[in-house]
Amino acid sequence: MVQGSTDAADEKARPEVAVEIAGLNKWFGEFHVLRDINLNVARGERIVICGPSGSGKSTLLRCINHLEDWQTGRIVVDGIELNDDPRQIVAVRRDVGMVFQHFNLFPHLTVLENCTLAPIWVRQMPKRDAEAVAMKYLERVRIPEQAEKYPARLSGGQQQRVAIARALCMNPNIMLFDEPTSALDPEMVKEVLDTMVGLASDGITMLVVSHEMGFARQVADRVMFMADGQILEINEPKAFFAHPQHERTRLFLQQILH
Amino acid sequence: MADIARSSAARPSRRHARNIGNLALQVALVAIVLGLIAAAAHNAAVNMAKANIAHGFGFWNNTAGFDISQALVGYSASASTFGRAFWVGLLNTLLVSAVAIVLSTALGFIIGIARLSHNWLVSRLAGGYVELIRNIPLLLQILFWYNAVLKSLPELKGSVTLPFGGFLNNRGLFLPKPVFAPDFSAVVIALAIGVACALALRIWARRRQERTGEQVYLLGPTLALIVGLPFIVFLVAGKPLTFGIPDMGRFNIRGGLEILPEFAALLIALSVYTAAFIAEVVRAGVLAVPAGQTEAAQALGLRSTTTLRLVVVPQAMRMIVPPLTSQYLNLTKNSSLAVAIGYPDLVQVFAGSVLNITGQAVEVIAITMAVYLSISLVTSLLMSLYGRMVAVVER
Ligand SMILES: Nc1ncnc2c1ncn2[C@@H]1O[C@H](COP(=O)(O)OP(=O)(O)OP(=O)(O)O)[C@@H](O)[C@H]1O
Ligand SMILES: [Mg+2]
């Protein structure tokens, strides 16, 4: 009873908007990489972001967990306003998981240690509990038998699944994926995408930079097209693919679908 | 299918053949080297017989008859043997090398990290240091510190007076000398107990964190154990430590702890020079850890100090330890440049004075080489043990 009521309170405390980005502008020196970005991501929403190389997709994603700083605008993640306060930044990062194009696993730690590092040092979990959580997620991504190996021994697809498990071990509300399959050999793309489809069905909020349009059609609530640091178009997948509003979107889709 | 079977069956025998070939080659090489050594030894023996020099190690127990300016163990020209002189020289080499290794490591890490600093001035200063120091020959630097800096200090009469009764002049640095009363052993024991307890505390804290997840900050307790405990024992035991203050006479300074300008010049030059190389090793090691590693750790919510300690340093150390070892070996071997300023190291004392007096070149040079080889092997061994400790091998 008591348990139930606190859960309900938690639910209420969490805002319906998972990520709120308003008037975001960022420059790398003279280069205006993000131009007046406005985006609200609802809780549980899954957004796939596509666009030509250099359009600022990675940069936008990296602003959400403050791996990049920005000049103007605000970002609120799970009700926490991101500013220069390190405590706010850590609070957001505990809540936001990120998966990188090149996995970025820690080569000097085993798969299991990769997964338990943050739960132990950030969530202050007892080692045994952290290992239990890690094994749960390694089973989720279907590689529990690799737990004691070092990452370099694994295939690319396996490494990326470990990276996903590592992020999930922090029990995040929001997951960011930056081209998670584009460094993989074609035959490994599917195993990673399947894992992500599984995640999507759990109702976790996801922002995915990807050019896997099949995946976008299958799981995205909205698909977003970026060019020159701007959001040119954002729409439900059906409409997005059937009736792109912009000429550039049309050209881009033509290029990657053929 | 048949193809695969054949090639996998053929592979072991081919590898076998290659192994035998390698082995034969190595045996032949060893035989050639041994043959050359035997020929050289024979040649030397013939020459020495002609010159009426006894060979063998009989000289070891003969009276040395020459003075050595710095001896860590008792030594006198009239009473000590060549063997004793050997040990004095060896200890002097080990002393200057060990202290220089510690200093150059500290300085090298500081400068290497400073060079990576985002502060323009700091990184430029560090870069300038490295470029300046590593491009000037070490011998020149030793001569600079000795002749230009230390020998141009004031004479005895004009000695610079230092706090706590020390003096500095062109004959060296004279400091109060600690004199330990017998009770001082209690302080040493307390220090040992303190260190043991601090280690035990670390292990306990790690176990506890594994069990409960709670992190304990150990800096305070560790300091209390390692510094506080011995200090309390020191007070309780009635301060069993006094200082012999150097006493300035008309012609020299008596008592106190004397640091020769030769030692100081060699120490400073070796430390400053090697630090420049260590700084580069450290910088390269840190840069070799991809930015993605730090980003991944930060994205997981790790603080920057935790990220450094658990992610960056272990990976950087794996890159740093092997080249650091070779810097230590270089430093030890470079310490033989002591000859240039007359610091009584192994080469100056043994391969210099002893060889000249006894004329037993082959024996003396062989022993000296064997000593440097042993020091190098022991250093390498220690460093590879350390390397294994700090960095789990990645497979
Ligand atoms: N640290 C940086 N300093 C300067 N310029 C940068 C930096 N990082 C990225 N850029 C530039 O910003 C632009 C956007 O980069 P970003 O990585 O966000 O693009 P992207 O849309 O993710 O492209 P891709 O599909 O190639 O990954 C690029 O032109 C890139 O060169
Ligand atoms: Mg990118």
Side-chain angles (χ1 to χ4, degrees), chain A residues 13-253:
Chain A
R14 260 201 243 149
E16 272 314 295
V17 181
V19 181
E20 181 191 343
I21 302 173
L24 182 69
N25 278 286
K26 176 174 174 60
W27 287 263
F28 279 123
E30 293 287 290
F31 179 57
H32 199 168
V33 57
L34 293 176
R35 298 163 187 258
D36 198 32
I37 303 282
N38 292 288
L39 178 68
N40 281 344
V41 184
R43 180 154 309 288
E45 194 178 17
R46 298 175 294 266
I47 296 185
V48 169
I49 304 167
C50 59
S53 180
S55 54
K57 309 178 295 292
S58 300
T59 307
L60 175 61
L61 222 54
R62 291 158 58 85
C63 284
I64 296 174
N65 62 358
H66 207 285
L67 285 182
E68 297 282 357
D69 208 350
W70 58 89
Q71 280 79 23
T72 67
R74 64 194 286 259
I75 300 183
V76 181
V77 180
D78 259 335
I80 308 165
E81 166 121 33
L82 267 176
N83 46 34
D84 286 337
D85 183 351
R87 276 168 304 180
Q88 304 277 89
I89 295 175
V90 169
V92 165
R93 286 173 179 169
R94 286 166 61 129
D95 205 42
V96 177
M98 185 162 201
V99 174
F100 299 86
Q101 182 175 6
H102 297 287
F103 331 136
N104 297 2
L105 293 178
F106 305 126
H108 61 302
L109 301 178
T110 62
V111 164
L112 188 65
E113 289 166 343
N114 263 276
C115 293
T116 57
L117 186 75
I120 287 175
W121 290 97
V122 181
R123 291 235 186 268
Q124 309 220 337
M125 252 191 221
K127 188 175 174 196
R128 211 187 284 163
D129 298 2
E131 286 179 350
V133 171
M135 286 313 295
K136 182 178 109 187
Y137 286 112
L138 287 174
E139 264 155 41
R140 244 340 268 277
V141 301
R142 298 191 314 281
I143 37 175
E145 72 284 357
Q146 312 285 358
E148 298 304 327
K149 286 193 186 162
Y150 285 92
R153 283 287 188 83
L154 273 52
S155 74
Q158 289 174 324
Q159 290 192 41
Q160 193 59 299
R161 284 186 283 151
V162 172
I164 294 173
R166 176 176 73 177
L168 291 176
C169 283
M170 286 295 283
N171 204 7
N173 286 317
I174 300 162
M175 285 285 284
L176 310 174
F177 293 84
D178 190 3
E179 306 205 33
T181 58
S182 59
L184 295 176
D185 291 338
E187 71 271 20
M188 293 170 189
V189 169
K190 187 174 179 305
E191 64 188 58
V192 171
L193 287 181
D194 285 349
T195 308
M196 291 168 61
V197 171
L199 271 186
S201 62
D202 283 3
I204 194 166
T205 309
M206 290 167 72
L207 280 97
V208 184
V209 174
S210 176
H211 293 160
E212 296 290 339
M213 290 302 130
F215 172 79
R217 266 186 240 265
Q218 192 181 347
V219 306
D221 295 309
R222 286 190 286 170
V223 182
M224 182 169 128
F225 177 72
M226 280 185 77
D228 303 330
Q230 283 173 305
I231 301 179
L232 273 199
E233 184 159 354
I234 179 162
N235 213 337
E236 286 163 12
K238 256 191 197 144
F240 181 89
F241 289 113
H243 314 289
Q245 302 296 305
H246 268 265
E247 185 55 27
R248 289 196 65 174
T249 319
R250 213 187 329 267
L251 282 172
F252 178 77
L253 286 177

Side-chain angles (χ1 to χ4, degrees), chain B residues 45 48 53-60 62 358-364 367:
Chain B
M48 279 160 70
I53 300 173
H55 56 85
F57 297 95
F59 71 95
W60 193 260
N62 297 345
T358 63
Q360 302 208 268
V362 174
E363 289 84 351
V364 167
I367 291 174

Side-chain angles (χ1 to χ4, degrees), chain B residues 98-339:
Chain B
V99 179
I101 282 177
V102 172
L103 292 182
S104 63
T105 306
L107 190 60
F109 271 74
I110 291 170
I111 291 171
I113 303 284
R115 219 179 159 186
L116 294 167
S117 163
H118 294 299
N119 184 314
W120 185 87
L121 186 65
V122 170
S123 71
R124 281 307 164 93
L125 280 176
Y129 173 94
V130 170
E131 288 312 327
L132 179 72
I133 297 296
R134 70 172 179 177
N135 287 316
I136 298 174
L138 175 57
L139 182 57
L140 201 58
Q141 294 190 36
I142 293 174
L143 292 174
F144 166 78
W145 287 106
Y146 186 63
N147 294 312
V149 180
L150 298 181
K151 276 294 164 189
S152 61
L153 285 170
E155 308 248 320
L156 180 67
K157 261 187 279 173
S159 288
V160 182
T161 313
L162 302 175
F164 307 110
F167 295 106
L168 180 66
N169 57 40
N170 64 2
R171 294 195 198 173
L173 177 63
F174 299 84
L175 295 174
K177 181 182 193 170
V179 180
F180 303 101
D183 283 351
F184 194 79
S185 56
V187 178
V188 176
I189 293 170
L191 179 66
I193 292 175
V195 170
C197 288
L199 288 176
L201 188 69
R202 275 187 79 100
I203 295 170
W204 170 83
R206 185 168 318 150
R207 294 249 171 87
R208 188 182 131 103
Q209 187 192 354
E210 285 182 2
R211 237 184 15 256
T212 68
E214 232 172 289
Q215 288 157 31
V216 192
Y217 291 94
L218 289 177
L219 189 64
T222 304
L223 278 180
L225 280 168
I226 295 181
V227 180
L229 183 67
F231 187 68
I232 290 170
V233 171
F234 175 75
L235 292 181
V236 169
K239 306 188 187 171
L241 173 69
T242 51
F243 287 94
I245 306 292
D247 183 20
M248 170 128 53
R250 186 133 30 111
F251 302 110
N252 55 12
I253 294 178
R254 254 186 241 110
L257 184 71
E258 183 182 353
I259 294 172
L260 293 181
E262 291 80 25
F263 174 80
L266 187 62
L267 179 67
I268 296 172
L270 284 176
S271 305
V272 164
Y273 180 76
T274 313
F277 291 88
I278 292 180
E280 284 298 276
V281 165
V282 169
R283 186 173 76 111
V286 173
L287 285 180
V289 181
Q293 292 288 308
T294 311
E295 285 177 359
Q298 288 181 340
L300 286 165
L302 267 71
R303 289 172 193 285
S304 45
T305 47
T306 320
T307 302
L308 267 181
R309 191 161 59 87
L310 299 176
V311 175
V312 179
V313 170
Q315 293 186 57
M317 280 317 266
R318 205 172 43 199
M319 308 294 299
I320 288 173
V321 167
L324 188 61
T325 308
S326 63
Q327 288 308 324
Y328 289 172
L329 301 183
N330 283 345
L331 186 153
T332 310
K333 289 177 289 181
N334 286 340
S335 74
S336 62
L337 290 172
V339 176

Side-chain angles (χ1 to χ4, degrees), chain B residues 344-356:
Chain B
D345 81 320
L346 182 65
V347 171
Q348 203 259 344
V349 170
F350 194 64
S353 305
V354 173
L355 190 153
N356 286 334

